[in-house]
């Protein structure tokens, strides 16, 4: 079982970035897949919104309308499309797996190694 993130980079405010998560060892169709992030000195935060109006507990209001999570079942891949990024989006981003019903960070049992996103001018 493995989650491998890629796509992290340095980007200017207002820019866009797409993160990818390659999943192996299980089917993403059988679990809840999400993205979390952690900035230095801050708690882990769910940033995985499936649409603009998503109110899932791991879809932070600060990213709603700017970040979209998508899944490709055929490729067993998970993506995070980030648009209109802000300096406060700087963090390590993690692809995570949870059982159906998972909501809080502690309920997601498998985490990738993370990929760094830095937003600065």
């Amino acid at each position: 079982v493995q989650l491998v993130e890629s796509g992290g980079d340095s980007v200017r405010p207002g820019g866009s970035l797409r993160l990818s998560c390659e999943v192996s060892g299980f089917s993403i169709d059988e679990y809840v897949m999400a993205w979390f992030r952690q900035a230095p000195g801050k708690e882990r935060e769910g940033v995985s919104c499936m649409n603009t109006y998503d109110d899932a507990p791991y879809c932070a209001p600060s990213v709603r309308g700017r970040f979209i999570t998508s899944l490709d079942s055929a490729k067993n891949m998970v993506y995070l499309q980030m648009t209109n990024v802000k300096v406060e989006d700087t963090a390590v981003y993690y692809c995570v797996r949870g059982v159906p019903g998972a909501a809080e960070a502690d309920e997601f049992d498998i985490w990738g190694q993370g990929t760094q996103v830095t937003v600065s001018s």
Side-chain angles (χ1 to χ4, degrees):
V1 173
Q2 195 172 18
L3 309 176
V4 179
E5 303 96 336
S6 61
D9 204 346
S10 295
V11 60
R12 295 184 183 277
S16 299
L17 200 63
R18 189 176 86 152
L19 306 183
S20 300
C21 174
E22 184 176 353
V23 177
S24 60
F26 67 94
S27 170
I28 62 174
D29 292 337
E30 298 178 0
Y31 292 87
V32 173
M33 302 301 300
W35 291 89
F36 277 74
R37 69 183 179 187
Q38 187 165 29
K42 295 188 176 181
E43 294 187 358
R44 293 175 295 183
E45 177 183 44
V47 292
S48 202
C49 310
M50 301 305 290
N51 55 62
T52 303
Y53 308 102
D54 196 342
D55 61 355
Y58 40 82
C59 170
S62 61
V63 305
R64 195 172 296 147
R66 299 190 297 119
F67 291 9
I68 294 291
T69 292
S70 61
L71 288 75
D72 187 331
S73 297
K75 296 181 179 180
N76 221 34
M77 296 280 292
V78 185
Y79 303 97
L80 179 66
Q81 180 66 51
M82 306 167 63
T83 59
N84 189 25
V85 297
K86 304 177 181 181
V87 172
E88 52 264 39
D89 294 325
T90 296
V92 177
Y93 285 71
Y94 298 91
C95 178
V96 302
R97 183 193 84 169
V99 297
E104 302 299 326
D106 292 344
E107 296 176 300
F108 289 85
D109 62 342
I110 304 294
W111 290 62
Q113 84 287 353
T115 186
Q116 176 70 45
V117 173
T118 302
V119 184
S120 67
S121 55

mmCIF file of all heavy atoms in Angstrom, residues 14-37:
data_model
loop_
_atom_site.group_PDB
_atom_site.id
_atom_site.type_symbol
_atom_site.label_atom_id
_atom_site.label_comp_id
_atom_site.label_asym_id
_atom_site.label_seq_id
_atom_site.Cartn_x
_atom_site.Cartn_y
_atom_site.Cartn_z
ATOM 1 N N GLY A 14 -1.755 33.922 -6.983
ATOM 2 C CA GLY A 14 -2.653 34.020 -8.124
ATOM 3 C C GLY A 14 -2.441 32.934 -9.152
ATOM 4 O O GLY A 14 -3.263 32.771 -10.072
ATOM 5 N N GLY A 15 -1.383 32.182 -9.024
ATOM 6 C CA GLY A 15 -1.071 31.125 -9.977
ATOM 7 C C GLY A 15 -1.838 29.842 -9.704
ATOM 8 O O GLY A 15 -2.680 29.764 -8.810
ATOM 9 N N SER A 16 -1.511 28.830 -10.497
ATOM 10 C CA SER A 16 -2.172 27.526 -10.392
ATOM 11 C C SER A 16 -1.134 26.418 -10.313
ATOM 12 O O SER A 16 0.011 26.573 -10.759
ATOM 13 C CB SER A 16 -3.077 27.296 -11.604
ATOM 14 O OG SER A 16 -4.088 28.270 -11.676
ATOM 15 N N LEU A 17 -1.579 25.305 -9.762
ATOM 16 C CA LEU A 17 -0.700 24.143 -9.613
ATOM 17 C C LEU A 17 -1.567 22.907 -9.520
ATOM 18 O O LEU A 17 -2.680 22.971 -8.970
ATOM 19 C CB LEU A 17 0.135 24.299 -8.344
ATOM 20 C CG LEU A 17 1.421 23.491 -8.190
ATOM 21 C CD1 LEU A 17 2.424 23.875 -9.273
ATOM 22 C CD2 LEU A 17 2.026 23.737 -6.806
ATOM 23 N N ARG A 18 -1.088 21.799 -10.064
ATOM 24 C CA ARG A 18 -1.816 20.538 -9.923
ATOM 25 C C ARG A 18 -0.921 19.505 -9.274
ATOM 26 O O ARG A 18 0.178 19.220 -9.764
ATOM 27 C CB ARG A 18 -2.313 20.008 -11.272
ATOM 28 C CG ARG A 18 -3.263 18.826 -11.107
ATOM 29 C CD ARG A 18 -3.842 18.327 -12.409
ATOM 30 N NE ARG A 18 -2.971 17.369 -13.064
ATOM 31 C CZ ARG A 18 -3.399 16.404 -13.867
ATOM 32 N NH1 ARG A 18 -4.696 16.268 -14.086
ATOM 33 N NH2 ARG A 18 -2.545 15.601 -14.471
ATOM 34 N N LEU A 19 -1.406 18.963 -8.175
ATOM 35 C CA LEU A 19 -0.709 17.885 -7.485
ATOM 36 C C LEU A 19 -1.300 16.546 -7.908
ATOM 37 O O LEU A 19 -2.504 16.443 -8.156
ATOM 38 C CB LEU A 19 -0.837 18.038 -5.969
ATOM 39 C CG LEU A 19 -0.407 19.380 -5.382
ATOM 40 C CD1 LEU A 19 -0.532 19.342 -3.860
ATOM 41 C CD2 LEU A 19 0.982 19.765 -5.810
ATOM 42 N N SER A 20 -0.438 15.548 -7.975
ATOM 43 C CA SER A 20 -0.872 14.200 -8.334
ATOM 44 C C SER A 20 -0.519 13.228 -7.226
ATOM 45 O O SER A 20 0.470 13.425 -6.503
ATOM 46 C CB SER A 20 -0.195 13.750 -9.640
ATOM 47 O OG SER A 20 -0.525 14.609 -10.709
ATOM 48 N N CYS A 21 -1.321 12.186 -7.109
ATOM 49 C CA CYS A 21 -1.073 11.129 -6.116
ATOM 50 C C CYS A 21 -1.226 9.790 -6.810
ATOM 51 O O CYS A 21 -2.319 9.429 -7.261
ATOM 52 C CB CYS A 21 -2.055 11.257 -4.965
ATOM 53 S SG CYS A 21 -1.957 9.914 -3.751
ATOM 54 N N GLU A 22 -0.129 9.076 -6.911
ATOM 55 C CA GLU A 22 -0.133 7.740 -7.501
ATOM 56 C C GLU A 22 -0.396 6.735 -6.389
ATOM 57 O O GLU A 22 0.354 6.669 -5.407
ATOM 58 C CB GLU A 22 1.193 7.447 -8.185
ATOM 59 C CG GLU A 22 1.240 6.118 -8.892
ATOM 60 C CD GLU A 22 2.547 5.904 -9.636
ATOM 61 O OE1 GLU A 22 3.360 6.856 -9.706
ATOM 62 O OE2 GLU A 22 2.771 4.794 -10.141
ATOM 63 N N VAL A 23 -1.453 5.956 -6.568
ATOM 64 C CA VAL A 23 -1.891 5.012 -5.539
ATOM 65 C C VAL A 23 -1.580 3.586 -5.970
ATOM 66 O O VAL A 23 -1.877 3.196 -7.105
ATOM 67 C CB VAL A 23 -3.397 5.160 -5.276
ATOM 68 C CG1 VAL A 23 -3.861 4.123 -4.245
ATOM 69 C CG2 VAL A 23 -3.721 6.571 -4.807
ATOM 70 N N SER A 24 -1.025 2.793 -5.078
ATOM 71 C CA SER A 24 -0.772 1.386 -5.368
ATOM 72 C C SER A 24 -1.144 0.539 -4.154
ATOM 73 O O SER A 24 -1.102 1.003 -3.020
ATOM 74 C CB SER A 24 0.703 1.171 -5.734
ATOM 75 O OG SER A 24 1.538 1.568 -4.681
ATOM 76 N N GLY A 25 -1.557 -0.689 -4.423
ATOM 77 C CA GLY A 25 -1.865 -1.620 -3.349
ATOM 78 C C GLY A 25 -3.334 -1.719 -2.979
ATOM 79 O O GLY A 25 -3.717 -2.598 -2.203
ATOM 80 N N PHE A 26 -4.162 -0.821 -3.498
ATOM 81 C CA PHE A 26 -5.598 -0.885 -3.262
ATOM 82 C C PHE A 26 -6.296 -0.016 -4.309
ATOM 83 O O PHE A 26 -5.664 0.798 -4.980
ATOM 84 C CB PHE A 26 -5.950 -0.408 -1.846
ATOM 85 C CG PHE A 26 -5.684 1.061 -1.608
ATOM 86 C CD1 PHE A 26 -6.689 2.003 -1.771
ATOM 87 C CD2 PHE A 26 -4.417 1.502 -1.214
ATOM 88 C CE1 PHE A 26 -6.447 3.352 -1.557
ATOM 89 C CE2 PHE A 26 -4.166 2.842 -1.005
ATOM 90 C CZ PHE A 26 -5.184 3.774 -1.175
ATOM 91 N N SER A 27 -7.609 -0.177 -4.417
ATOM 92 C CA SER A 27 -8.394 0.616 -5.363
ATOM 93 C C SER A 27 -8.949 1.856 -4.673
ATOM 94 O O SER A 27 -9.540 1.769 -3.589
ATOM 95 C CB SER A 27 -9.555 -0.217 -5.909
ATOM 96 O OG SER A 27 -10.458 0.603 -6.638
ATOM 97 N N ILE A 28 -8.785 3.005 -5.319
ATOM 98 C CA ILE A 28 -9.290 4.240 -4.729
ATOM 99 C C ILE A 28 -10.820 4.245 -4.653
ATOM 100 O O ILE A 28 -11.402 5.034 -3.921
ATOM 101 C CB ILE A 28 -8.802 5.479 -5.505
ATOM 102 C CG1 ILE A 28 -9.310 5.472 -6.936
ATOM 103 C CG2 ILE A 28 -7.279 5.559 -5.453
ATOM 104 C CD1 ILE A 28 -8.972 6.747 -7.706
ATOM 105 N N ASP A 29 -11.462 3.370 -5.401
ATOM 106 C CA ASP A 29 -12.930 3.300 -5.377
ATOM 107 C C ASP A 29 -13.462 2.722 -4.067
ATOM 108 O O ASP A 29 -14.657 2.850 -3.774
ATOM 109 C CB ASP A 29 -13.435 2.447 -6.542
ATOM 110 C CG ASP A 29 -13.183 3.105 -7.883
ATOM 111 O OD1 ASP A 29 -13.045 4.345 -7.916
ATOM 112 O OD2 ASP A 29 -13.119 2.384 -8.899
ATOM 113 N N GLU A 30 -12.603 2.076 -3.305
ATOM 114 C CA GLU A 30 -13.055 1.400 -2.085
ATOM 115 C C GLU A 30 -12.809 2.216 -0.821
ATOM 116 O O GLU A 30 -13.161 1.770 0.278
ATOM 117 C CB GLU A 30 -12.363 0.047 -1.973
ATOM 118 C CG GLU A 30 -12.696 -0.901 -3.117
ATOM 119 C CD GLU A 30 -11.957 -2.233 -3.009
ATOM 120 O OE1 GLU A 30 -11.189 -2.420 -2.046
ATOM 121 O OE2 GLU A 30 -12.145 -3.072 -3.907
ATOM 122 N N TYR A 31 -12.205 3.385 -0.977
ATOM 123 C CA TYR A 31 -11.857 4.193 0.181
ATOM 124 C C TYR A 31 -12.198 5.661 -0.067
ATOM 125 O O TYR A 31 -12.479 6.070 -1.188
ATOM 126 C CB TYR A 31 -10.360 4.065 0.484
ATOM 127 C CG TYR A 31 -9.950 2.703 0.974
ATOM 128 C CD1 TYR A 31 -9.610 1.700 0.065
ATOM 129 C CD2 TYR A 31 -9.905 2.416 2.334
ATOM 130 C CE1 TYR A 31 -9.247 0.438 0.512
ATOM 131 C CE2 TYR A 31 -9.531 1.157 2.787
ATOM 132 C CZ TYR A 31 -9.214 0.180 1.863
ATOM 133 O OH TYR A 31 -8.846 -1.070 2.312
ATOM 134 N N VAL A 32 -12.140 6.433 1.003
ATOM 135 C CA VAL A 32 -12.197 7.886 0.897
ATOM 136 C C VAL A 32 -10.778 8.383 0.636
ATOM 137 O O VAL A 32 -9.849 8.069 1.404
ATOM 138 C CB VAL A 32 -12.743 8.534 2.191
ATOM 139 C CG1 VAL A 32 -12.631 10.053 2.105
ATOM 140 C CG2 VAL A 32 -14.173 8.099 2.437
ATOM 141 N N MET A 33 -10.605 9.113 -0.447
ATOM 142 C CA MET A 33 -9.305 9.694 -0.766
ATOM 143 C C MET A 33 -9.395 11.203 -0.613
ATOM 144 O O MET A 33 -10.380 11.820 -1.049
ATOM 145 C CB MET A 33 -8.890 9.331 -2.192
ATOM 146 C CG MET A 33 -8.798 7.834 -2.466
ATOM 147 S SD MET A 33 -7.621 6.976 -1.390
ATOM 148 C CE MET A 33 -6.090 7.813 -1.802
ATOM 149 N N ALA A 34 -8.390 11.797 -0.005
ATOM 150 C CA ALA A 34 -8.447 13.231 0.259
ATOM 151 C C ALA A 34 -7.037 13.815 0.285
ATOM 152 O O ALA A 34 -6.041 13.089 0.236
ATOM 153 C CB ALA A 34 -9.157 13.494 1.583
ATOM 154 N N TRP A 35 -6.993 15.123 0.371
ATOM 155 C CA TRP A 35 -5.745 15.864 0.522
ATOM 156 C C TRP A 35 -5.781 16.651 1.832
ATOM 157 O O TRP A 35 -6.792 17.283 2.152
ATOM 158 C CB TRP A 35 -5.547 16.834 -0.637
ATOM 159 C CG TRP A 35 -5.276 16.185 -1.946
ATOM 160 C CD1 TRP A 35 -6.203 15.783 -2.867
ATOM 161 C CD2 TRP A 35 -3.998 15.851 -2.501
ATOM 162 N NE1 TRP A 35 -5.575 15.223 -3.946
ATOM 163 C CE2 TRP A 35 -4.219 15.252 -3.756
ATOM 164 C CE3 TRP A 35 -2.676 15.998 -2.072
ATOM 165 C CZ2 TRP A 35 -3.178 14.801 -4.575
ATOM 166 C CZ3 TRP A 35 -1.645 15.568 -2.886
ATOM 167 C CH2 TRP A 35 -1.901 14.978 -4.117
ATOM 168 N N PHE A 36 -4.695 16.593 2.554
ATOM 169 C CA PHE A 36 -4.495 17.424 3.731
ATOM 170 C C PHE A 36 -3.217 18.228 3.524
ATOM 171 O O PHE A 36 -2.386 17.891 2.682
ATOM 172 C CB PHE A 36 -4.364 16.555 4.993
ATOM 173 C CG PHE A 36 -5.683 16.130 5.576
ATOM 174 C CD1 PHE A 36 -6.445 15.152 4.957
ATOM 175 C CD2 PHE A 36 -6.157 16.703 6.742
ATOM 176 C CE1 PHE A 36 -7.665 14.751 5.496
ATOM 177 C CE2 PHE A 36 -7.377 16.325 7.284
ATOM 178 C CZ PHE A 36 -8.130 15.340 6.662
ATOM 179 N N ARG A 37 -3.066 19.266 4.310
ATOM 180 C CA ARG A 37 -1.831 20.035 4.273
ATOM 181 C C ARG A 37 -1.418 20.394 5.692
ATOM 182 O O ARG A 37 -2.241 20.404 6.597
ATOM 183 C CB ARG A 37 -1.986 21.305 3.435
ATOM 184 C CG ARG A 37 -2.893 22.372 4.043
ATOM 185 C CD ARG A 37 -3.044 23.548 3.094
ATOM 186 N NE ARG A 37 -3.918 24.583 3.638
ATOM 187 C CZ ARG A 37 -4.328 25.645 2.961
ATOM 188 N NH1 ARG A 37 -3.946 25.815 1.691
ATOM 189 N NH2 ARG A 37 -5.114 26.544 3.540
#
